Amino acid sequence: MKQNTVVPLLIIDVQQAFHDSSWGNRNNQMCEDNIARLITTWEKADQPIIYVQHVSQIPESLFYFKKDGHLFQDFIRPREQDTILTKQANSAFIGTNLQELLEAHQVKSIIVTGLITNHCVETTARMAGNLGFGPIVVSDATATFDRRSISGSLIPADVIHDVSLANLNEEFATIHTTDEVIAMIQTKAVQAL
């Protein structure tokens, strides 16, 4: 990584709503711990952190702006210099100035984490790839939930997670673990991707 290279850490929808039992079974219980490790690394490296918060105008939504579900999880404590973007769509690029922020800093790579893998994380990573921002999705710093297929069979969260990452890999993004991404930042190697 060149001396002045900016590599933002994007943290998507790590909010109280995902504690609600209605989501069902979730994979990767270490997701939040890994995101916390990345936050610490980014703060030490003096790299930008962008927090994305889904805020709904729909009263029935778990993310409704008058409910606690729209609030960040307790370990998320943005600093004054961090950026907070609010969105109402799946992609962090829709209805926000994320693209303009990244363009202003001539970003070549962005690290993507958060909830949930096959919804807002995947949608944002696809757009980031299409827009040329070189997304790196951190496989163990995102998670998802079991879902029912169209035929009604249960699809386990681990399968959904793996398929979502496989869909992104080498087409829209590259996939790395938390340890790999931390090593890249510490050795200033992100530009090599």
Side-chain angles (χ1 to χ4, degrees):
M1 183 170 69
K2 294 177 184 173
Q3 188 65 27
N4 296 322
T5 300
V6 174
V7 184
L9 173 63
L10 189 65
I11 300 171
I12 301 172
D13 299 353
V14 181
Q15 294 170 250
Q16 299 286 348
F18 287 114
H19 291 316
D20 192 273
S21 61
S22 64
W23 290 97
N25 181 61
R26 194 188 99 172
N27 76 321
N28 188 17
Q29 300 303 316
M30 294 301 294
C31 175
E32 287 85 352
D33 289 340
N34 288 327
I35 291 172
R37 290 174 56 214
L38 290 164
I39 290 169
T40 299
T41 301
W42 253 249
E43 290 175 349
K44 287 180 181 175
D46 196 29
Q47 287 287 335
I49 302 175
I50 302 170
Y51 294 92
V52 179
Q53 183 178 26
H54 192 93
V55 180
S56 176
Q57 302 298 312
I58 301 168
E60 296 77 25
S61 172
L62 294 172
F63 300 93
Y64 184 50
F65 74 96
K66 291 185 179 180
K67 293 179 181 175
D68 287 347
H70 87 281
L71 300 174
F72 288 121
Q73 291 185 23
D74 292 340
F75 80 97
I76 298 289
R77 296 183 181 94
R79 303 165 302 165
E80 186 176 338
Q81 64 265 42
D82 296 331
T83 301
I84 299 174
L85 301 177
T86 59
K87 66 178 180 63
Q88 295 182 40
N90 295 101
S91 173
F93 288 95
I94 303 297
T96 73
N97 66 338
L98 178 58
Q99 182 175 350
E100 291 78 10
L101 283 172
L102 300 180
E103 288 173 346
H105 292 287
Q106 300 179 328
V107 166
K108 303 290 185 221
S109 288
I110 184 168
I111 310 302
V112 183
T113 70
L115 301 168
I116 60 176
T117 316
N118 53 307
H119 286 179
C120 297
V121 171
E122 183 173 349
T123 304
T124 299
R126 284 172 180 266
M127 282 195 72
N130 284 333
L131 292 168
F133 294 122
I136 298 168
V137 177
V138 188
S139 60
D140 55 357
T142 185
T144 193
F145 297 87
D146 291 351
R147 290 185 66 85
R148 291 277 170 194
S149 72
I150 300 303
S151 65
S153 61
L154 183 71
I155 307 173
D158 280 334
V159 172
I160 293 170
H161 183 80
D162 287 348
V163 169
S164 185
L165 295 176
N167 286 337
L168 292 170
N169 191 37
E170 297 181 2
E171 180 68 27
F172 299 96
T174 55
I175 312 300
H176 290 281
T177 66
T178 299
D179 287 342
E180 289 169 342
V181 170
I182 288 173
M184 288 177 211
I185 285 296
Q186 290 174 340
T187 61
K188 304 186 185 313
V190 173
Q191 87 287 354
L193 295 176

